[in-house]
C-alpha cells in the first residue's frame, strides 16, 4: 500500500513509561510500540511511510525525549505540546472518556484542529547544554577551592595559584558563551529563556540549567515541580514517631543554581525578600527560609512557563 497522500496527516502519541500509543489521523490507523530503542525504531519506520504535517506528543516529563530525539534525527516534524492545552481542547470538544487509544486520538485531533507550530527543540543541544552547565559548576567548585587556598598559603606559593585562577576564569567564560549560543540557536529555548530571565534572580546560567535539566517545568503541577527540584518537604513519620519534614532528592544541578539565584533575589524587594524576612523574624533558620523561597520561585516559574507570561513583581504595599 502506498501511504503517500495529499491528506493533512497528524499523528498523536500518548506516552507511557513502557509504551507509546500512536494514532494517525485522518487515516484512523492505531498502533502501539514499546518505549525503548527497538519500539521507537519501529514507530519511526512506520511514520516515515506518510507525508506528515506534524507528530504531536505531550511534554509529560523525560519519558518522551528518546522518541523526540529519534524524530529529530529522522527529520520528522514534531510538536511538544503542553498537556494543559490538550486537556482544554478535550474539554472544548466534550471528550471525557480516557483510554490509551482515545488519548492518542485526542492528541492527533488537537494537532489537526489547532495546528500548533512545529517545535525547534534539538535534544542533542539540550544534552550538550546540560553537560556545559555541569562542567561550569565543576570549574566554579575548583575555582573556590583555589581561592580558599590563596588565603592561607604563604606569598611565595600564592603566585602559583593566580595563573590557575586566571585559567579557570577563561574556561568559565568560554563555557558561558557556548551556553548562550545554544539558547540562541533554538526558538523554543529563546522563548523559555526570555520568560525565565524576566524573574529577579534568574540569570542566563540558572535559565540554562532549568531548560536543560528540568524540561518538565511548565507542564506539571506545583507539587511535582517542587519535588523534581528537591525543595518539597517530605514527612518523616512512623507509628508514634513524628519527625521534622525535610527536603530530599531532586535534581541537584537545578537546586544548586536556584539556591544561588535566590541568594541574589532576596536582596531585592518585594516578594522573595519579604517572605525571607518574615520567616526569619518568626524564628525559622535562614537556610530553611531560603528553601521556602526557592519553592515559591519554582512554583511561580512553573506557572509562568505554563501560561507563557513574563514575571510581574507584585507592587510593594504602602
Amino acid at each position: 500500500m502506498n501511504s503517500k497522500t495529499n491528506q493533512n496527516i497528524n499523528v498523536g502519541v500518548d506516552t507511557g513509561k513502557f509504551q507509546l500509543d500512536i494514532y494517525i489521523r485522518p487515516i484512523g490507523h492505531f498502533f502501539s510500540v514499546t518505549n525503548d530503542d527497538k519500539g521507537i525504531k519501529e514507530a519511526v519506520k512506520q511514520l516515515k511511510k506518510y507525508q506528515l504535517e506534524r507528530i504531536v506528543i505531550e511534554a509529560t516529563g523525560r519519558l518522551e525525549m528518546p522518541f523526540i530525539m529519534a524524530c529529530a534525527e529522522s527529520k520528522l516534524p514534531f510538536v511538544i505540546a503542553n498537556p494543559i492545552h490538550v486537556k482544554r481542547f478535550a474539554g472544548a470538544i466534550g471528550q471525557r472518556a480516557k483510554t490509551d487509544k482515545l488519548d492518542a486520538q485526542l492528541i492527533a485531533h488537537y494537532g489537526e484542529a489547532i495546528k500548533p507550530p512545529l517545535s525547534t527543540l534539538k535534544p542533542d543541544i539540550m544534552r550538550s547544554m546540560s553537560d556545559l552547565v555541569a562542567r561550569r559548576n565543576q570549574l566554579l567548585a575548583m575555582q573556590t577551592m583555589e581561592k580558599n587556598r590563596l588565603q592561607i598559603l604563604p606569598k611565595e606559593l600564592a603566585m602559583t595559584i593566580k595563573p590557575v585562577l586566571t585559567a579557570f576564569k577563561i574556561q568559565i567564560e568560554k563555557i558561558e558563551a557556548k551556553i548562550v549560543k545554544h539558547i540562541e540557536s533554538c526558538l523554543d529555548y529563546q522563548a523559555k529563556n526570555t520568560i525565565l530571565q524576566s524573574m529577579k534572580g534568574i540569570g542566563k546560567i540558572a535559565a540554562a540549567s532549568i531548560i536543560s535539566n528540568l524540561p518538565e517545568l511548565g507542564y506539571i503541577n506545583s507539587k511535582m515541580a517542587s519535588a523534581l527540584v528537591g525543595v518539597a518537604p517530605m514527612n518523616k513519620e512512623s507509628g508514634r514517631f513524628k519527625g521534622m519534614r525535610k527536603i530530599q532528592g531532586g535534581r541537584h544541578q537545578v537546586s544548586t543554581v536556584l539556591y544561588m539565584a535566590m541568594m541574589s533575589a532576596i536582596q531585592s524587594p518585594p516578594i522573595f525578600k519579604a517572605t525571607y524576612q518574615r520567616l526569619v523574624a518568626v524564628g525559622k533558620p535562614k537556610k530553611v527560609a531560603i528553601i521556602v523561597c526557592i519553592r515559591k520561585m519554582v512554583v511561580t516559574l512553573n506557572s509562568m512557563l505554563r501560561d507563557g507570561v513574563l514575571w510581574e513583581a507584585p507592587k510593594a504595599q504602602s
Side-chain angles (χ1 to χ4, degrees):
M1 181 183 71
N2 184 5
S3 299
K4 301 295 183 181
T5 173
N6 291 326
Q7 291 178 295
N8 294 326
I9 299 177
N10 288 266
V11 177
V13 182
D14 183 53
T15 313
K17 186 174 183 179
F18 303 108
Q19 181 171 297
L20 298 173
D21 296 293
I22 302 171
Y23 186 88
I24 303 175
R25 182 184 174 96
I27 296 170
H29 178 45
F30 173 78
F31 65 98
S32 298
V33 297
T34 52
N35 193 4
D36 55 22
D37 290 343
K38 182 179 179 180
I40 291 171
K41 186 176 181 180
E42 175 60 28
V44 169
K45 180 181 178 181
Q46 292 204 43
L47 293 175
K48 288 179 75 173
K49 297 176 182 177
Y50 302 92
Q51 291 180 337
L52 304 177
E53 287 289 314
R54 62 184 61 78
I55 301 167
V56 184
I57 185 168
E58 289 182 314
T60 55
R62 296 186 176 225
L63 296 177
E64 76 277 6
M65 291 313 298
F67 178 77
I68 289 300
M69 190 174 297
C71 288
E73 290 173 354
S74 299
K75 294 181 171 52
L76 291 174
F78 63 90
V79 175
I80 303 176
N82 190 323
I84 293 175
H85 296 167
V86 178
K87 186 176 181 180
R88 289 172 180 168
F89 177 75
I93 63 174
Q95 179 170 322
R96 291 181 174 83
K98 282 184 67 64
T99 65
D100 293 337
K101 182 176 181 179
L102 286 176
D103 285 344
Q105 190 172 352
L106 169 69
I107 296 169
H109 190 183
Y110 166 83
E112 181 185 87
I114 304 301
K115 296 180 173 56
L118 298 179
S119 298
T120 59
L121 182 65
K122 299 177 181 178
D124 55 331
I125 291 181
M126 176 183 286
R127 193 182 320 168
S128 174
M129 193 156 66
S130 178
D131 292 340
L132 287 169
V133 171
R135 182 55 183 160
R136 179 183 178 275
N137 290 339
Q138 293 168 357
L139 290 172
L140 286 173
M142 291 187 286
Q143 184 186 58
T144 299
M145 288 189 288
E146 288 296 286
K147 286 181 177 178
N148 291 338
R149 294 186 184 106
L150 188 62
Q151 303 299 319
I152 60 176
L153 289 176
K155 287 185 178 180
E156 58 269 23
L157 290 177
M159 295 303 297
T160 65
I161 292 179
K162 290 181 178 179
V164 176
L165 290 176
T166 300
F168 280 142
K169 183 175 182 293
I170 292 171
Q171 291 304 314
I172 290 169
E173 288 174 351
K174 285 183 178 180
I175 286 178
E176 290 178 347
K178 288 181 179 180
I179 290 172
V180 171
K181 188 175 180 181
H182 276 343
I183 290 174
E184 291 176 346
S185 71
C186 178
L187 292 177
D188 287 0
Y189 290 163
Q190 289 176 30
K192 275 192 171 185
N193 183 58
T194 300
I195 291 172
L196 291 168
Q197 289 202 51
S198 69
M199 175 178 280
K200 180 68 178 180
I202 299 294
K204 58 185 178 182
I205 300 303
S209 182
I210 292 170
I211 291 169
S212 58
N213 294 311
L214 197 64
E216 301 95 331
L217 203 65
Y219 306 118
I220 52 182
N221 61 42
S222 298
K223 288 184 179 180
M224 290 176 64
S226 298
L228 284 177
V229 176
V231 291
M234 302 296 180
N235 290 334
K236 191 175 182 181
E237 299 178 358
S238 179
R240 295 183 178 179
F241 175 75
K242 305 292 182 182
M244 291 181 61
R245 300 175 77 196
K246 295 183 178 180
I247 60 171
Q248 60 183 28
R251 296 176 188 164
H252 69 277
Q253 304 99 323
V254 182
S255 57
T256 298
V257 296
L258 289 185
Y259 189 92
M260 300 306 298
M262 185 51 65
M263 295 301 291
S264 171
I266 60 175
Q267 303 303 316
S268 302
I271 187 168
F272 297 120
K273 183 177 182 179
T275 301
Y276 174 78
Q277 290 177 337
R278 175 175 53 81
L279 291 169
V280 172
V282 298
K284 295 291 184 182
K286 292 182 178 180
K287 187 173 182 179
V288 171
I290 290 173
I291 295 300
V292 172
C293 289
I294 294 174
R295 185 160 63 247
K296 191 180 187 76
M297 173 183 273
V298 170
V299 169
T300 305
L301 289 173
N302 188 54
S303 298
M304 289 164 55
L305 289 174
R306 179 195 65 206
D307 300 331
V309 297
L310 299 178
W311 164 253
E312 290 186 10
K315 295 180 180 179
Q317 295 181 353
S318 56

